[in-house]
Amino acid sequence: MPANPDAIVSLDWVRAHLDDPNVVFLHAGGDRAEYEAGHLPGARWVHGYDDLTVTRDGIRALVPLQHEMEATLGRLGVEATKTVVFVASGKSMWPHRGFWVLRFYRFPNVHIADRSVAAMAREGVALTSDEPAVAPATCALSEGDESVLSTWEEVLLTSQGAGKAVILDCRTDGEYRGEPGAHAAPRLGRVPGATHLNWELLVDDDGRFLPPERLRSLYAAAGIDGTRPVFPYCGGGIRSAASWFAMHEVLGWDEARNYDGSWAEWAARTDLPIATGE
């Protein structure tokens, strides 16, 4: 699959569409204070964990069910005919998570901005602290697209040596070795056989992806070249959504499939193996 040049919109595109009634900017993050400190005019606040994940069967940070996501988008005034652009205050995985969730539900027109809101402000884009009035809408989504999702069963088979897929741990070096991360987990470690590439290395401090040739080099060092399926995971399918975006949308590797359950699910299942250390 060729790379998707429309997945990321430029600063010039953002400037040209700030007043476009058919474009909805969704400012995603983990702390509303980021949004209140300054956002694009008309942008609507999306809380990453509250709006783009749910806890289900005791597992945190799973993709919302279809009706749950439809309700969230409706509350945000998003109809399926709109163009959605995810942005964030600074370097963040939340726009990529938002993109992946909407892509999973086959939302027709979803994008991310090519840089953070802070970077836009340095380029002269005026920010506001005013929150727009939003009229509720009806948003009908399609059934989830399993081609962008991987499951613990598939990851386990790969870990056991079946098939040709690659398991990619997108967390920090410490989490990969088995050290505690930002979120408590019943067990520490990694999926046996997983290679490692911290998602933070894929983007610069302004949230811009590195050039494709640099991304390919980083993935190649982790044993990934786009010729095999890749199952990226992290603590809860959020950071791994950024790596999925880099592979699937920037590099055009259509066999990248985000493991949404990620370590939250894997660690909770005591029947699944773990590895620790280097």
Side-chain angles (χ1 to χ4, degrees):
M1 181 183 80
N4 179 7
D6 296 326
I8 301 176
V9 297
S10 69
L11 177 59
D12 287 341
W13 190 99
V14 170
R15 291 184 198 272
H17 291 84
L18 283 174
D19 296 320
D20 188 336
N22 293 312
V23 175
V24 178
F25 291 95
L26 296 181
H27 190 122
D31 185 347
R32 185 181 171 86
E34 304 168 8
Y35 174 78
E36 294 173 344
H39 52 265
L40 297 177
R44 301 158 197 189
W45 168 246
V46 173
H47 191 286
Y49 287 111
D50 292 346
D51 295 327
L52 300 175
T53 79
V54 295
T55 296
R56 192 163 52 246
D57 298 327
I59 307 301
R60 69 173 188 87
L62 295 174
V63 63
L65 297 177
Q66 181 177 337
H67 74 274
E68 294 171 326
M69 201 63 221
E70 288 173 338
T72 293
L73 292 173
R75 174 176 54 79
L76 293 168
V78 176
E79 301 167 317
T81 56
K82 301 291 188 183
T83 294
V84 168
V85 179
F86 281 97
V87 300
S89 294
K91 181 176 181 176
S92 173
M93 66 282 190
W94 285 116
H96 313 111
R97 172 66 180 193
F99 182 101
W100 180 81
V101 170
L102 265 62
R103 172 64 180 78
F104 175 69
Y105 284 120
R106 308 173 199 263
F107 192 89
N109 292 301
V110 58
H111 314 268
I112 68 168
D114 72 349
R115 68 197 70 191
S116 68
V117 170
M120 294 183 200
R122 291 197 298 273
E123 294 289 337
V125 175
L127 306 184
T128 181
S129 59
D130 296 335
E131 186 166 1
V134 176
T138 298
C139 185
L141 298 173
S142 299
E143 183 179 352
D145 181 358
E146 301 294 333
S147 74
V148 298
L149 174 75
S150 58
T151 66
W152 71 263
E153 293 94 340
E154 293 170 307
V155 174
L156 177 61
L157 286 173
T158 301
S159 177
Q160 293 172 334
K164 61 178 183 177
V166 181
I167 305 167
L168 175 62
D169 190 312
C170 304
R171 301 174 299 167
T172 64
D173 295 352
E175 288 172 286
Y176 178 77
R177 291 191 297 265
E179 299 168 11
H183 298 280
R187 297 187 295 164
L188 301 177
R190 64 179 178 272
V191 177
T195 187
H196 179 240
L197 176 59
N198 187 337
W199 81 276
E200 292 186 282
L201 299 178
L202 306 175
V203 294
D204 67 17
D205 290 341
D206 288 328
R208 287 179 284 214
F209 277 105
L210 302 184
E213 61 273 15
R214 181 61 181 139
L215 292 176
R216 291 190 189 94
S217 177
L218 288 170
Y219 282 113
I224 298 169
D225 62 6
T227 62
R228 298 186 289 167
V230 183
F231 303 150
Y233 78 92
C234 59
I238 300 163
R239 289 173 286 179
S240 57
S243 192
W244 172 87
F245 188 100
M247 291 185 284
H248 197 275
E249 302 297 317
V250 178
L251 298 177
W253 296 347
D254 61 349
E255 290 192 285
R257 297 166 57 196
N258 191 26
Y259 174 25
D260 187 48
S262 279
W263 194 251
E265 178 179 52
W266 193 273
R269 294 187 59 101
T270 57
D271 57 327
L272 298 179
I274 63 171
T276 58
E278 296 294 342

